[in-house]
Amino acid sequence: MPFAIILFITIMKKFKIILLITLLSFTFIPRLFAEIDEDSEFLQKSTIKNVLKNELSERGAWGLRQGVWFLKKGESYAEIYSKYYWHNRQFDSNGDKHRWGYGGKGHEKETELKLEHGLTDKHTLMVSFNFKDAYWEDDYKKSATSGFVYARPGLKYLLFEKPYLAYLQLKVKLPFGFDEHETPSIGTHQIDAEIKLMTAQSWPKLHGYTKLEFGFRERYEEPTNEIPYFAQFAYNISDNILLELSLDGQEGLGEAGKVAEDWAKFTIGPVFRIGLLNLKFGYGITLFGKNTTAAEEFYSAIYGWF
């Protein structure tokens, strides 16, 4: 493994929360590259506030719409997201990576429908539905499970649009009636509640944007409560192609008597504009973790605004 990758993983293992807070602080820096033009029809519709009207090319407008946006009243958003991931290793409670015992390996296919609708210019109603197929085999058995796992209703509230976009998101996970004791497991029957601060900053002269998220997830049973985090940088390669690089993860709070599940995942992939819809796909890998699988994944999504 190249030295630079080893160094990056080592730093993230030791300082991931500090790095995330540092990244979040950058969104509080005033706009460096552009002034807001309040009269731009595109800016008003998409709530993108850091683009000069005379520099808002087709390339910049479409690309920024992917990451720096908040629905206006009456607008809607729909997405179908799919993920296939596989693993034959795990991270133990010390963060060390080991193969599963008895030649164990598994894979899962996950599909999620996401819907959002702008109730007002500041309030967005959202809901998602998750379906999962899971497969496991080792030297002694093979097993498979499938079913609807949960619905996640939620609400977004716009805090402000300048000098960057910021909003709060509240979600509740409501599990369906699957058998949580089946092997391999596709989930649990516990109810989780999550609140996140989400920010987005456009960088028009760089033809890109950054997104940062930080929150708290209350888990009413096992494992411990968690701090989810997310950071993304995207760059417009052309008028119709965007490249996304993301770090997605969670940090368990390590409460007494509960298992802390930590992980951090890096993903990279392009987004293509196809008419009124957008298609993206990419690859992800778990960089490090505790009490979790050491998985790799391919993902894809098709989505649009209407």
Side-chain angles (χ1 to χ4, degrees):
M1 182 181 293
F3 173 75
I5 296 178
I6 296 175
L7 180 62
F8 171 77
I9 294 175
T10 302
I11 292 174
M12 287 302 299
K13 280 183 176 179
K14 294 182 178 298
F15 304 109
K16 46 186 175 290
I17 295 299
I18 296 175
L19 284 174
L20 180 69
I21 294 173
T22 302
L23 286 171
L24 281 170
S25 70
F26 277 107
T27 64
F28 290 87
I29 299 175
R31 290 157 297 171
L32 300 179
F33 299 106
E35 293 296 331
I36 299 170
D37 179 29
E38 299 290 349
D39 297 325
S40 167
E41 180 181 354
F42 176 81
L43 297 186
Q44 292 180 13
K45 183 176 181 181
S46 304
T47 64
I48 297 173
K49 297 298 183 181
N50 296 335
V51 183
L52 285 171
K53 184 176 181 180
N54 59 2
E55 292 183 0
L56 186 57
S57 65
E58 182 71 10
R59 172 183 176 186
W62 172 75
L64 294 176
R65 175 63 160 160
Q66 306 307 302
V68 189
W69 59 276
F70 194 88
L71 292 179
K72 290 292 189 179
K73 180 179 179 179
E75 287 188 321
S76 297
Y77 172 85
E79 175 181 339
I80 298 177
Y81 174 85
S82 298
K83 178 172 67 175
Y84 174 83
Y85 62 100
W86 65 97
H87 54 86
N88 60 8
R89 297 172 184 268
Q90 64 173 325
F91 291 103
D92 63 20
S93 59
N94 295 318
D96 298 322
K97 187 188 296 187
H98 304 283
R99 288 189 176 275
W100 291 107
Y102 306 108
K105 59 183 179 180
H107 63 257
E108 295 187 10
K109 292 180 288 184
E110 185 174 340
T111 302
E112 189 167 9
L113 172 64
K114 305 176 184 180
L115 302 171
E116 301 185 15
H117 181 72
L119 299 177
T120 71
D121 287 351
K122 285 185 172 288
H123 300 85
T124 295
L125 182 66
M126 55 194 301
V127 65
S128 62
F129 301 94
N130 182 278
F131 181 87
K132 187 180 291 186
D133 286 305
Y135 176 82
W136 171 264
E137 69 172 270
D138 56 34
D139 294 339
Y140 299 98
K141 64 180 181 298
K142 295 180 180 180
S143 56
T145 312
S146 64
F148 284 98
V149 184
Y150 58 76
R152 273 186 177 162
L155 185 69
K156 291 180 181 178
Y157 175 72
L158 178 65
L159 297 174
F160 48 83
E161 300 173 345
K162 55 182 180 180
Y164 55 93
L165 183 69
Y167 56 94
L168 289 175
Q169 175 179 282
L170 176 64
K171 278 186 175 182
V172 179
K173 188 185 81 171
L174 304 175
F176 286 106
F178 57 89
D179 186 351
E180 63 179 332
H181 301 295
E182 285 188 319
T183 303
S185 174
I186 58 174
T188 67
H189 286 172
Q190 71 182 54
I191 297 175
D192 300 339
E194 176 184 286
I195 186 170
K196 278 186 178 181
L197 171 65
M198 313 177 80
T199 68
Q201 174 77 51
S202 61
W203 307 101
K205 291 190 176 181
L206 299 179
H207 296 288
Y209 66 82
T210 52
K211 290 177 67 176
L212 298 166
E213 304 174 7
F214 188 74
F216 174 77
R217 183 180 298 123
E218 174 75 21
R219 307 200 68 173
Y220 293 97
E221 297 177 21
E222 291 286 344
T224 183
N225 295 334
E226 297 157 350
I227 299 175
Y229 56 89
F230 177 82
Q232 182 182 79
F233 174 75
Y235 173 73
N236 274 102
I237 297 175
S238 71
D239 289 351
N240 298 298
I241 303 176
L242 182 76
L243 180 65
E244 295 179 337
L245 299 93
S246 306
L247 178 68
D248 187 12
Q250 68 179 36
E251 185 81 4
L253 295 181
E255 299 162 285
K258 291 189 175 183
V259 176
E261 182 180 350
D262 305 342
W263 54 266
K265 177 178 65 177
F266 172 75
T267 61
I268 182 171
V271 181
F272 298 93
R273 176 166 59 173
I274 305 175
L276 298 177
L277 296 176
N278 304 277
L279 173 66
K280 71 176 178 181
F281 60 88
Y283 167 79
I285 184 171
T286 306
L287 300 176
F288 51 85
K290 292 182 180 179
N291 300 310
T292 191
T293 57
E296 298 176 74
E297 68 180 55
F298 289 120
Y299 64 87
S300 64
I302 185 167
Y303 59 93
W305 294 264
F306 54 94

